[in-house]
Amino acid sequence: AQLNPRTGALNGKHVLMTAGPTFEPLDPVRGITNRSSGKQGFAIAEALAVEGAKVTLISGPVSLPTPEGVERIDVRTALEMFDAAHAHLPADAFIGVAAVSDWRAQAVATDKQKKSANSDELTVTLIKNPDILASIGLHTTMRPTLVIGFAAETQNLEVYGKTKLRTKGADAIFANEVGDDKVFDQDTTNMMLIDAHGPTAVKRLTKAEVAQDITHYVINRLT
Ligand code: CTP
Ligand code: CA
């Protein structure tokens, strides 16, 4: 990653983040997950640490090294990510970059499910996971000064991004286009920032550039 020289602009600031996918087990050998390499969240964590922030990075299962100076907490499920995030409040800023699974199995089988025990169809009931970003953006006693979310959209970036800003109590949403191979395993993404000032134009940025933009945004808003 291309990083600016250390300025210490975020010395003494605690930034809490989520990154990567979550994994929701169905049985001991299977589960459902979301596509996310974790690269974007880890790049942001690194850029913030370079500026002197104390960064707590709650990460789902990814195969990435921990950026220097970052405290990393590994979790697997959305419920574990939720608990770990709340356990690490208070923070000056929260940034939700994780691709959290919206659903988990209502019942997790304790044994491997045999195909012979099932007919040609298998029905699994999924229930909704809690929204980690909203729980922090709307926190009544420990809301960080700055709460930032991402929005992964295949269409209507601005409309859906604005709705997420409002319903999750966030100060800013970085909305990016996903689908086909627009983001996953790619180095660039089409991104729009939405905050109280409205939306910016869509820019095509590398993950390193997004990390720099967000770091500058955090510095402007916290200092
Ligand atoms: N998010 C979260 N907890 C969840 C779901 C999402 O913290 N259970 C966060 C993500 O980390 C991201 C933001 O909410 O910062 C938006 O995630 P996204 O999946 O785009 O939005 P959803 O609210 O889940 O809506 P949908 O998937 O239906 O578009
Ligand atoms: Ca979602």
Side-chain angles (χ1 to χ4, degrees):
Q2 191 198 330
L3 297 167
N4 288 341
R6 182 181 295 269
T7 65
L10 292 173
N11 279 348
K13 303 293 183 190
H14 179 211
V15 183
L16 180 60
M17 297 184 54
T18 64
T22 67
F23 178 86
E24 313 294 330
L26 296 173
D27 74 14
V29 296
R30 305 186 182 93
I32 54 174
T33 191
N34 274 12
R35 285 179 75 181
S36 168
S37 66
K39 281 181 191 166
Q40 182 66 80
F42 277 56
I44 296 166
E46 178 173 16
L48 293 164
V50 164
E51 295 296 340
K54 168 179 144 66
V55 180
T56 307
L57 178 61
I58 319 282
S59 178
V62 297
S63 40
L64 293 172
T66 307
E68 203 181 310
V70 168
E71 188 198 357
R72 171 175 174 180
I73 317 282
D74 284 315
V75 297
R76 196 165 68 130
T77 67
L79 288 176
E80 288 168 10
M81 188 174 274
F82 180 99
D83 287 345
H86 282 264
H88 288 84
L89 289 172
D92 297 292
F94 174 80
I95 310 176
V97 195
V100 183
S101 174
D102 293 331
W103 309 96
R104 69 178 181 277
Q106 185 173 45
V108 180
T110 46
D111 289 307
K112 181 184 169 188
Q113 296 302 287
K114 301 300 288 177
K115 71 180 173 196
S116 56
N118 289 294
S119 66
D120 286 348
E121 280 181 17
L122 173 65
T123 302
V124 178
T125 302
L126 301 177
I127 56 173
K128 216 178 249 178
N129 273 323
D131 191 310
I132 301 164
L133 175 62
S135 73
I136 290 177
L138 302 170
H139 205 297
T140 51
T141 56
M142 284 203 284
R143 187 188 187 281
T145 305
L146 181 62
V147 175
I148 298 175
F150 273 70
E153 310 292 353
T154 55
Q155 55 175 349
N156 300 337
L157 269 191
E158 183 177 340
V159 173
Y160 289 141
K162 279 183 175 165
T163 303
K164 285 175 186 172
L165 183 75
R166 184 166 38 82
T167 58
K168 293 167 184 271
D171 299 296
I173 293 281
F174 281 77
N176 64 102
E177 281 180 1
V178 296
D180 302 328
D181 280 303
K182 283 190 189 131
V183 181
F184 309 114
D185 314 314
Q186 294 286 314
D187 205 49
T188 57
T189 172
N190 289 330
M191 181 77 78
M192 165 191 281
L193 166 69
I194 302 166
D195 66 8
H197 302 293
T200 63
V202 175
K203 283 193 288 184
R204 184 152 194 91
L205 298 173
T206 65
K207 289 182 181 181
E209 288 167 341
V210 171
Q212 283 306 314
D213 271 18
I214 292 185
T215 299
H216 290 139
Y217 191 84
V218 172
I219 291 171
N220 284 333
R221 295 288 303 254
L222 286 188
T223 62

